[in-house]
Each structure stands twice: as C-alpha cells, then as structure tokens.
Amino acid sequence: DLKIPLDDMKAYSLFTNGQTDGVFQCESSGMRSVFMRLKPTNLEDIIAVISLYRPGPMDSIDSYIENRHNSNNIRYKTPMLKDILDVTYGCMVYQEQVMQICRELGGYSYGRADLVRRAMSKKKMDVMQKERVIFVNGAKNNGVSEKVANEIFDEMISFASYAFNKSHATAYAVVAYQTAYLKCHY
C-alpha cells in the first residue's frame, strides 16, 4: 500500500523545472511554462494552474503568478471581493467564486447563484443580460458602484464559460501530483 505524501518538494520541483513529461494534464509546453513561472510548492498551486489553463481563465495567468510572487500587487475592484478572491491572489479561478460573488455582492440566494453559474457556462446571453440588471442592482444595494458592478459582471461572464469547479480541478491536480511523485521516486 503506497502512501504518497502531498508535501514532497522533489515532486513539486518537477513542475518548477518543467520536467512534466508523463505527468497527467501537465505535459504541454504551455502548462510547463506556467508551472515554471509559478514555481508550485503545494497542491493548491497545481489545482489553480489546472483551473487557469483554459480559455477565459487563462487571461488571469499572468496576474495570478505576479500576485502570488508579490502580494503587494493584489488589487480588488471592491473590498467585498477580498475574502472571496484572497485565496487565489485576487483572480477569479473557480466557479464557486463566481457563485460567491453573486451571493455576497449581488444578494443572490445559493440556488439563484447556481442558476447564474449554469447560464454563464452554457453562454445563455439572454439570461445573462437579465441577470446583469439584477446583479448590478443588488450590488448597488450593497454599496458597490454601478460601474464596478458591471465590470465585475463582465469579468464573470468572460471567465465562467470555461471555468472549472474546484473539486474537478482538485481531482485532476491530485492525479497530476501523484504521477509527478511516482516519476520522481520510481
């Protein structure tokens, strides 16, 4: 029964050094480049890269890496985003973050936030334009300017159509890390 620890720095060094041939989901030159720039040290880093390396979220890769290495660069459009995006260095990375933004800024229920996430992921623009009005009004009621609320909504639309939920990315990242560990030690 092989026990694979999740804190093996030799395994993480494979990602940092771009030696990910045979590592699940991490073999492409683009992924290698992102890992080499990020220099992952824990499973959260791998989860984030797997989530970011997709159309839409990919636009945040440079900001994510820069903010991870220099947290003084992190800027939030409103302080209300800090608790939601702090774990991902100020960047939207996961579907759950879109839902949380809808709930906390827009005043949505859990169910309605999930409906918005689904509409975004299926690119239902007619639904999204109706939701924009509801989100912006809810955000204004929570002290967010109309301009900032619209900017955040635009970001969510461009991001959410390709975003992973964190559990999906975590499953991929665990397998990627395990294959890196096995490559490194066996």
Side-chain angles (χ1 to χ4, degrees), residues 56-69:
M58 190 177 275
D59 293 341
S60 297
I61 288 173
D62 290 339
S63 295
Y64 183 90
I65 291 170
E66 178 63 32
N67 292 350
R68 180 176 175 276
H69 293 302

Side-chain angles (χ1 to χ4, degrees), residues 6-20 23 26 31-50 64-65 68-69 89 173 176-177 180:
L6 293 177
D7 61 352
D8 185 83
M9 294 318 289
K10 283 185 175 182
Y12 289 110
S13 73
L14 289 182
F15 293 94
T16 296
N17 296 326
Q19 299 171 328
T20 54
V23 175
C26 301
M31 281 287 250
R32 285 175 204 234
S33 173
V34 172
F35 280 120
M36 289 167 68
R37 290 171 46 217
L38 182 66
K39 300 175 181 24
T41 58
N42 56 52
L43 191 61
E44 282 293 329
D45 289 340
I46 298 172
I47 296 167
V49 171
I50 285 174
Y64 183 90
I65 291 170
R68 180 176 175 276
H69 293 302
Y89 311 108
Y177 172 80

Side-chain angles (χ1 to χ4, degrees), residues 91 111 140 142 150:
C91 300
K140 284 177 15 184
N142 284 317
N150 273 299

Side-chain angles (χ1 to χ4, degrees), residues 82-143:
K82 185 178 186 323
D83 287 343
I84 300 168
L85 301 179
D86 194 36
V87 69
T88 51
Y89 311 108
C91 300
M92 280 186 225
V93 176
Y94 308 113
Q95 288 180 354
E96 291 88 347
Q97 289 173 310
V98 168
M99 293 172 61
Q100 194 173 356
I101 290 168
C102 286
R103 288 192 330 269
E104 293 188 22
L105 274 68
Y108 285 52
S109 67
Y110 283 98
R112 180 147 201 158
D114 190 48
L115 290 175
V116 170
R117 179 202 56 81
R118 274 190 266 155
M120 286 180 179
S121 68
K122 291 184 175 25
K123 300 178 183 102
K124 293 184 175 179
M125 284 308 185
D126 57 325
V127 174
M128 292 317 305
Q129 293 315 316
K130 291 176 192 166
E131 289 302 328
R132 175 186 296 277
V133 173
I134 295 166
F135 177 82
V136 169
N137 286 333
K140 284 177 15 184
N141 289 340
N142 284 317

